[in-house]
Amino acid sequence: MIRLAPHETLVGDCAAVADALAEWRTDPTTLAATAHPDHVFRPLPERLERWKAAGVHVSPFHSGLYLARNRYSELGLRHMLPLDRVLVGAESTRPGAFGGFHHRDQGYRHLQMAALITMYGPVQQDAPADPGLAMLDLVRAYAHDCLHYGSARRYVLVGGEVVRTQYGINWRQPGGRTYSSSDPQDATHTRNLGVVMEGACDREARRLTRQVANLYNITGPDSPDTPGWWAYRDVTGQLDDGEPAAVAGDRIGGEAGSYVASMGRYQAGVNARYEVWLDEFGAGEPERLHDLVLTATIGGDSSILCHWLDSRHGPGTFSRVFQAGGYLAAPPREAAI
């Protein structure tokens, strides 16, 4: 029997769509083996038990899970990403491998309804080298992927292939055209719905992680010459406009340095652009706008968000800001499920 996430909808020949999705979702371990053959991936509960047996204090993750469950329920998400659908990689055979939230090719995979996460820090061993930072990184990754798991999606079968025609507050026509266009590479702001939703998910995940860090008094290293200095600030949402992460990455070197550089690219391309967008359109209420984005992304109905934007920036603000030229369809409030 097919497993569906909380806000997924099948349209058209629903039985055929369900059968096609079921083929993707039967065994999430095949996803890990294909993406990262050098790492050993284990379900999150098993990985936590192994860490606990090695003397790692895993309570910060459980506290983060509790905080996320309460917060996400307020936003309309009452079912969390099942822990057995989260695979955590470690025990790598690749020399110098360095894991964490910014490791390549990981995160939530909607077709497989599973998430790949790598242990923060050197990945060769079974248990983390820096348990505190590893717990914070795990909280951030899980909280982030939970929001992706719980976001609205609509699937249809086109030519025998599963096509996602809605994700959150963004839409895609069966032929592939999306409601909003990509931002220019050097942009400091955003007009792309994917960036807005990704930024909203990570802002929320980092805020929860910061609460856990404060609760357990977890801090990072003192020296910016270590990846942990950067990782702590990143995972708790405290990266600033000081030294570029790319420069620090070159100084640190190896996969750890590449990890820090990747962190900087994500900060500039997603989180910083989202903060600018909140400042542009928040009308002095950025937290309220942030909550509306998350609620609309989870439920798939953008009508309240559109009304809020219209009341502060004039009629049709959503489509004026986000709709790409040539996208001919009903406005988002009418297209919402």
Side-chain angles (χ1 to χ4, degrees), residues 52-266:
K52 186 177 179 180
V56 175
H57 187 43
V58 300
S59 295
F61 174 77
H62 295 295
S63 295
L65 177 59
Y66 174 80
L67 291 170
R69 182 179 289 118
N70 290 338
R71 167 62 173 159
Y72 293 174
S73 178
E74 296 173 356
L75 298 169
L77 177 57
R78 294 173 178 81
H79 299 282
M80 304 289 278
L81 172 59
L83 297 184
D84 64 351
R85 305 293 293 187
V86 181
L87 303 176
V88 183
E91 305 165 81
S92 180
T93 59
R94 190 175 75 244
F98 196 93
F101 182 82
H102 297 286
H103 189 285
R104 65 171 183 83
D105 200 13
Q106 71 169 48
Y108 184 69
R109 301 291 183 263
H110 69 97
L111 284 176
Q112 292 88 351
M113 205 183 79
L116 293 182
I117 294 173
T118 49
M119 177 179 71
Y120 171 76
V123 197
Q124 291 78 26
Q125 61 260 42
D126 186 3
D130 187 328
L133 270 180
M135 286 298 104
L136 294 184
D137 188 82
L138 185 62
V139 169
R140 188 256 195 102
Y142 179 76
H144 181 111
D145 289 346
C146 254
L147 288 171
H148 286 313
Y149 161 78
S151 297
R153 286 181 179 82
R154 179 166 42 182
Y155 295 105
V156 65
L157 209 60
V158 179
E161 299 290 331
V162 178
V163 174
R164 183 181 65 182
T165 57
Q166 180 185 12
Y167 165 50
I169 53 176
N170 200 8
W171 294 267
R172 180 188 301 272
Q173 294 172 337
R177 185 184 293 273
T178 59
Y179 185 84
S180 67
S181 301
S182 299
D183 293 321
Q185 189 171 2
D186 59 350
T188 57
H189 65 285
T190 185
R191 295 295 183 266
N192 179 265
L193 286 169
V195 171
V196 168
M197 292 188 293
E198 177 72 7
C201 290
D202 202 50
R203 187 178 197 263
E204 195 62 39
R206 288 177 296 136
R207 179 159 53 187
L208 289 166
T209 305
R210 188 162 59 250
Q211 290 179 255
V212 174
N214 292 335
L215 182 63
Y216 288 90
N217 196 29
I218 300 174
T219 59
D222 294 330
S223 172
D225 292 334
T226 64
W229 188 92
W230 294 87
Y232 176 77
R233 282 153 182 77
D234 173 56
V235 81
T236 55
Q238 300 178 77
L239 278 183
D240 55 29
D241 297 326
E243 180 188 25
V247 174
D250 287 342
R251 184 173 65 250
I252 293 168
E255 277 203 33
S258 297
Y259 182 86
V260 171
S262 178
M263 178 190 309
R265 290 191 295 271
Y266 184 85

Side-chain angles (χ1 to χ4, degrees), residues 3 20 22 29 51 68 100 131 153 161 235 246 257 270 276 295 299 310 321:
R3 302 180 68 170
T29 60
W51 289 352
R153 286 181 179 82
E161 299 290 331
V235 81
V270 176
V276 169
T295 301
D310 287 354
V321 170

